[in-house]
Amino acid sequence: MRTKERQVSHRSDRFEELFRKYRPIVEILHKKYYLRDYDLDDWLQEGRIVFNKCLKTYDKDKGTLKQDTQRCSFVLIVSL
């Protein structure tokens, strides 16, 4: 595997590792808010998109990732 491919693979693995910690929040929101034609897979896809946006804007000097995931949860609800 080439270096570039390894870097992409590592980032993808790291993202999934971080998202596993955020996933329970998405599952709770899925149970709390019913959206017709949105199953858990749809919620998880939207959750990954929103979580990725939050990671890109995360500033470690301004707060913790936990605070940002709470903000991400709100963004997820609003984006659906």
Side-chain angles (χ1 to χ4, degrees), residues 27-55:
E27 291 173 351
I28 289 168
L29 293 172
H30 169 253
K31 290 176 185 173
K32 187 174 183 175
Y33 298 100
Y34 172 76
L35 293 174
R36 187 176 48 183
D37 298 330
Y38 267 68
D39 61 12
L40 181 58
D41 287 337
D42 295 320
W43 277 85
L44 291 172
Q45 180 178 348
E46 291 292 331
R48 281 183 177 89
I49 292 167
V50 170
F51 188 66
N52 188 47
K53 288 179 183 178
C54 286
L55 287 177

Side-chain angles (χ1 to χ4, degrees), residues 10-24:
H10 175 71
R11 279 193 301 253
S12 178
D13 292 344
R14 182 70 178 135
F15 175 84
E16 285 301 320
E17 178 184 327
L18 289 170
F19 184 74
R20 266 187 245 120
K21 295 176 183 178
Y22 178 67
R23 180 183 169 132

